[in-house]
Amino acid sequence: IIVVVLGFLAYRNFLVLPKSEEANNEMFQAQIYFEQGLANDTQRDSLFDLALHGGEGKYGFLDIIDNYSGTGAADLAEYNAGMIYLQLKKFELAIDFLEDFNADDPVLGALALGGIGDAFAELNQLEDAFDYYQKALGFSDNLLTRPRFLRKAGLVALDLGKKKSAAQYFGELKEKFEDSPEAINIDALLGMAQN
């Protein structure tokens, strides 16, 4: 038993932790490109390309995924790549990467599930979009993502003719998040769902 425990500790301390630290260092520049791309509409596509494929001698998110699998950095790179592909309107790729993301974080996990819902909505696969918005709502109950996905789930439910579900989502949005930007025109949406 002692040999197994010592072997595990050696593996973790001499292989996994240094690999994770190296992956985090490599991902720093890709993260900067990603954030710059979100803030800069005119150079967005080229900045997103650098974030995905690398630049200035540093890896991009796709390189991190390939070279550092099993690390937290590779997992976060899956999320970032998925969100980039969503922004670039490459919805199938967005779904693939976001489905591969393993989230423990209540915000990122909900955003990833909601991102998959957004991709399905853009592909006009509304039942799948509705399912993923429900998963995002069930993943965590945080103030950042819940109002967003209540509104999206309600809108998709309306499109699918699920007025009772839409009324439920819009009702919660009005009751608990009335001051949020997502609650704009909530009375009109509630009226549509209740008619």
Side-chain angles (χ1 to χ4, degrees):
I1 293 174
I2 293 172
V3 172
V4 171
V5 170
L6 289 175
F8 171 76
L9 290 174
Y11 170 76
R12 191 185 72 169
N13 289 330
F14 295 114
L15 291 175
V16 174
L17 293 178
K19 186 177 180 181
S20 293
E21 188 176 323
E22 184 180 329
N24 288 334
N25 289 336
E26 284 291 339
M27 194 164 74
F28 181 74
Q29 186 62 48
Q31 191 68 40
I32 289 173
Y33 289 135
F34 180 38
E35 292 169 11
Q36 289 174 341
L38 291 172
N40 186 334
D41 286 341
T42 57
Q43 295 180 333
R44 186 183 70 138
D45 290 354
S46 62
L47 288 166
F48 283 164
D49 186 62
L50 287 169
L52 287 171
H53 301 288
E56 296 185 29
K58 293 289 186 181
Y59 284 158
F61 293 132
L62 300 178
D63 300 313
I64 299 293
I65 294 165
D66 289 341
N67 293 305
Y68 297 100
S69 65
T71 66
D75 200 40
L76 185 56
E78 295 273 4
Y79 171 82
N80 289 335
M83 289 303 191
I84 287 173
Y85 284 125
L86 188 61
Q87 294 286 318
L88 294 174
K89 300 185 183 320
K90 296 181 179 183
F91 302 117
E92 291 89 358
L93 283 171
I95 292 166
D96 289 343
F97 280 96
L98 292 172
E99 284 182 335
D100 287 342
F101 174 61
N102 297 313
D104 293 330
D105 183 272
V107 174
L108 288 183
L111 288 173
L113 292 167
I116 295 169
D118 291 345
F120 277 124
E122 292 290 340
L123 293 168
N124 204 30
Q125 297 177 19
L126 298 183
E127 284 289 348
D128 292 324
F130 185 65
D131 289 344
Y132 272 95
Y133 290 144
Q134 289 179 307
K135 288 178 184 179
L137 288 167
F139 190 83
S140 72
D141 190 9
N142 67 73
L143 298 175
L144 178 67
T145 62
R146 188 147 188 94
R148 175 186 301 190
F149 298 124
L150 283 170
R151 183 178 182 90
K152 289 183 179 195
L155 291 170
V156 170
L158 271 181
D159 286 345
L160 291 170
K162 299 179 180 187
K163 290 188 174 189
K164 184 176 178 182
S165 293
Q168 178 185 356
Y169 292 128
F170 293 146
E172 182 182 341
L173 184 58
K174 180 177 177 156
E175 180 183 321
K176 295 182 179 176
F177 305 101
E178 189 170 20
D179 294 333
S180 71
E182 290 84 6
I184 292 174
N185 299 324
I186 194 62
D187 290 325
L189 292 172
L190 263 170
M192 291 169 59
Q194 293 169 344
N195 286 336

